[in-house]
Amino acid sequence: MGKPLVRLRVVEIGLGVGLLALVIRAGQVQLLEGRRYAAAAKAQRTEEVVLEARRGTMFDRHGTAIALTQETYHVGVAPNELRDPARDVPKIARQLHLPLSDVQRSMRKRYAWFAGPFTSLDVQPIRTLRGVHLEPVLRRFYPSREFARAVIGRVGEDGRGSGGGGGGLERLLDSLLAGTPGSAVVLKDRSGREYESPARVVAEPVAGNDVVLTLDAELQEIAQRALDDAIDNMQAEGGDVVMLDPRSGEVLAVASRRADGSMRPSAFTDTFEPGSVAKIFAAAALISFDRVRPTERVSGEGGRYRLADRVVTDEHPLPTLTLADAIRVSSNIALVKFSARLEPAEQYGVLRAFGFGAPTGVEFPAESPGRLRPPAEWSRPSSASLAIGYELAVTPIQLAAAYGAIANDGVLLQPTLIREVREGGPNGTVRYRHVAEPVRRVVTAEVATTLRDLLRGVVEAGGTAERAALANFQLAAKTGTARRVVAGRYAAGQYTASFAALFPADDPQLVVVMKIDNPQKGSYFAAQTAAPVTRSMLEQALAART
């Protein structure tokens, strides 16, 4: 009798211990591990996804979109969910512009995937088909693929301008354009596919800011087309064009191209010795320090003038020359003689005041400061070399800004590419609007007027740029033809042809700088290359405005 009772007691104790263990385990699961299991279950049926922020649009100064973001789609199809495959599959193929046979082959899989990306118009007719799953993707779009490409840049593979191949303004302005991504929770089926049910938004994405550039789409097209034609017709290695509003410092057009068709921002990053286009700055120093009288003449030396270390020559020798003559016919000899009256500190100071040897401050990454050595580093011939545009390295944007100071009554302005920044959307609040930023007064208004008069003579009969003259407007301009440095030495037969113009001469509203690298076909002189091309650009710009 005792043994059955003992066994019963053992069974009762065992059941009690088992129940106690079950309660303890249940409590552990519910109280201590409940969150982990709930999270695992939730992860199987939900997913938190990133909602991309719309990248801000870049516009030209007149509101033409030049870089914008479009909503596109990847398309997924679950064949077993289609109501009528015989009807739906051809419709899907037709809307996605894909061969029907390829789509039918994909339908043999459990889930067909078409990356595209496809536009809203493509997917609209199949959006309501059961079994069709759309995944929205924001894509950067450039309406004109080559428009100011070297300046605008491109977004990288990560959709940002900060990496993965991005560059230009897309990179520089990335923090303004990118916006802030949002997040949402979506439901998934057992296969991990998202349901069509609405997502629960955790955080709304914030669109990036829109940026209005100073570029003028019309002038940009004119500059690019003219530069392309010049490089092709002259068999040049490359070139640059910069157009600038001298009253505001706003850059209206920047075109850069190499002979192979590639585009890089050489107008901001590549330097060259300007040659004779820099002679006007030597004249500015001479006039500012009162070292030459208007009627004073120097001998032209028969076109050859021997210095201690070299011989200076003139292409258009005159018996005697005033400073106005020297600028008009681009006399090396006269400029060297006149500039010998300047102290090195005076000559250097004026060049530095015009902005050479320092970045302009334009909003562009990796802008070159150019090269202008201080007088302590000059050699014996440096003063003569600088007077005629050698031993000085400048960028096209620096040269345009310096000529802009002459046009702007002697005040140097910081050039800019950004006109306005505003919150995304048609009625976005303006966060920034450009105001002209004076850097310094370089010369007096009276000296600037005299310099414009000197440049006006260059385009008149007998001047080196008479081929640039316009029918109804007067230009103030200067030609420059400089030997090119290759591998540290001046290369025989290689030249840079450049031209700087103020339009119109009386009240300049536009500065144009054109540079052509090593033209090989026909003349290499700027008077026959860069000058007539600039005239053509101005004629096109005038025609477009009438």
Side-chain angles (χ1 to χ4, degrees):
M1 190 70 179
K3 288 184 179 181
L5 289 174
V6 171
R7 286 197 294 269
L8 183 59
R9 181 64 61 186
V10 169
V11 171
E12 289 175 350
I13 293 172
L15 287 173
V17 171
L19 288 171
L20 180 62
L22 186 62
V23 169
I24 292 172
R25 178 58 180 161
Q28 181 184 16
V29 170
Q30 290 292 326
L31 300 176
L32 301 180
E33 300 179 8
R35 291 185 178 180
R36 180 165 63 87
Y37 284 109
K42 184 178 180 181
Q44 290 180 348
R45 57 187 175 81
T46 65
E47 180 183 9
E48 186 167 325
V49 296
V50 174
L51 301 178
E52 287 187 86
R54 181 176 292 274
R55 191 173 179 84
T57 300
M58 279 196 271
F59 300 94
D60 90 324
R61 66 191 297 109
H62 300 301
T64 301
I66 54 182
L68 63 154
T69 298
Q70 291 182 325
E71 188 171 64
T72 59
Y73 298 88
H74 299 317
V75 178
V77 181
N80 63 331
E81 295 178 12
L82 295 175
R83 286 194 176 92
D84 186 351
R87 179 199 64 191
D88 294 343
V89 171
K91 185 174 183 178
I92 292 169
R94 185 168 58 254
Q95 287 305 126
L96 301 186
H97 309 289
L98 297 172
L100 178 58
S101 58
D102 292 350
V103 176
Q104 289 173 330
R105 191 179 307 112
S106 298
M107 292 299 165
R108 298 170 190 165
K109 305 174 185 176
R110 292 183 60 188
Y111 193 72
W113 175 255
F114 306 101
F118 303 100
T119 68
S120 298
L121 289 176
D122 292 334
V123 303
Q124 187 60 36
I126 61 174
R127 183 186 290 272
T128 57
L129 291 181
R130 181 180 173 183
V132 173
H133 303 265
L134 303 180
E135 180 182 328
V137 179
L138 297 177
R139 182 174 68 98
R140 200 62 165 166
F141 175 67
Y142 304 91
S144 176
R145 290 181 55 83
E146 302 305 319
F147 180 89
R149 182 165 185 168
V151 179
I152 303 301
R154 292 293 183 267
V155 295
E157 294 179 0
D158 59 355
R160 302 288 295 268
S162 56
L169 293 179
E170 287 278 27
R171 177 175 183 175
L172 181 74
L173 305 177
D174 187 66
S175 61
L176 287 173
L177 294 166
T180 305
S183 61
V185 175
V186 297
L187 298 177
K188 299 190 298 184
D189 63 15
R190 287 183 299 176
S191 300
R193 295 193 298 269
E194 294 178 11
Y195 281 118
E196 288 292 324
S197 57
R200 178 170 61 85
V201 176
V202 177
E204 291 281 359
V206 178
N209 296 289
D210 293 337
V211 177
V212 180
L213 302 180
T214 60
L215 297 179
D216 184 308
E218 212 163 38
L219 292 179
Q220 181 70 31
E221 292 285 356
I222 290 170
Q224 288 187 192
R225 188 166 55 246
L227 182 61
D228 289 346
D229 291 344
I231 292 172
D232 294 342
N233 295 335
M234 300 173 195
Q235 297 178 2
E237 291 182 9
D240 302 278
V241 175
V242 175
M243 295 186 183
L244 180 81
D245 183 341
R247 300 163 301 180
S248 64
E250 294 181 345
V251 179
L252 304 178
V254 183
S256 300
R257 204 199 103 182
R258 302 298 99 195
D260 61 5
S262 63
M263 298 181 183
R264 52 186 175 81
S266 50
F268 303 96
T269 60
D270 291 10
T271 62
F272 69 104
E273 287 187 301
S276 295
V277 290
K279 287 175 179 172
I280 196 65
F281 307 117
L286 288 164
I287 297 169
S288 295
F289 292 107
D290 197 23
R291 299 300 163 78
V292 61
R293 295 185 302 276
T295 58
E296 187 175 358
R297 292 181 173 273
V298 294
S299 171
E301 305 292 344
R304 290 177 62 83
Y305 180 48
R306 181 171 293 279
L307 297 177
D309 62 317
R310 59 183 147 161
V311 175
V312 179
T313 61
D314 278 349
E315 280 294 323
H316 309 283
L318 294 177
T320 62
L321 303 97
T322 62
L323 182 60
D325 293 329
I327 297 297
R328 179 171 55 84
V329 300
S330 200
S331 170
N332 295 325
I333 293 171
L335 261 297
V336 166
K337 284 188 169 186
F338 282 130
S339 294
R341 304 173 184 182
L342 293 167
E343 295 294 329
E346 294 170 338
Q347 191 174 6
Y348 171 81
V350 169
L351 289 171
R352 196 74 172 81
F354 271 105
F356 300 120
T360 64
V362 69
E363 308 91 343
F364 197 85
E367 184 198 358
S368 172
R371 178 174 56 87
L372 174 62
R373 295 178 300 146
E377 299 177 13
W378 289 9
S379 60
R380 185 175 178 181
S382 292
S383 178
S385 297
L386 287 165
I388 58 177
Y390 288 93
E391 292 195 28
L392 169 71
V394 306
T395 61
I397 189 69
Q398 279 181 323
L399 195 59
Y403 267 83
I406 297 173
N408 192 40
D409 286 335
V411 177
L412 178 70
L413 298 181
Q414 179 177 311
T416 182
L417 287 160
I418 312 301
R419 198 175 201 207
E420 192 175 276
V421 177
R422 58 180 183 236
E423 294 177 358
N427 301 310
T429 303
V430 174
R431 299 182 59 186
Y432 165 83
R433 182 174 284 122
H434 171 70
V435 176
E437 295 185 44
V439 178
R440 68 182 70 88
R441 174 168 288 283
V442 183
V443 294
T444 65
E446 293 74 20
V447 171
T449 299
T450 302
L451 294 175
R452 292 198 297 271
D453 288 339
L454 293 177
L455 294 171
R456 195 195 310 254
V458 176
V459 192
E460 294 174 349
T464 57
E466 61 181 318
R467 291 184 61 179
L470 296 168
N472 299 315
F473 295 91
Q474 196 164 27
L475 282 183
K478 186 71 189 76
T479 55
T481 306
R483 297 174 64 189
R484 284 165 54 87
V485 175
V486 179
R489 295 177 178 273
Y490 288 110
Q494 295 199 31
Y495 298 88
T496 299
S498 57
F499 189 66
L502 311 182
F503 170 83
D506 292 330
D507 181 21
Q509 300 171 34
L510 183 65
V511 175
V512 181
V513 168
M514 181 168 204
K515 175 175 72 76
I516 301 175
D517 299 320
N518 200 25
Q520 293 293 300
K521 188 175 180 180
S523 174
Y524 58 79
F525 286 107
Q528 284 80 45
T529 54
V533 174
T534 301
R535 180 196 63 209
S536 175
M537 285 192 290
L538 291 171
E539 288 172 341
Q540 292 177 60
L542 286 169
R545 294 293 191 267
T546 56

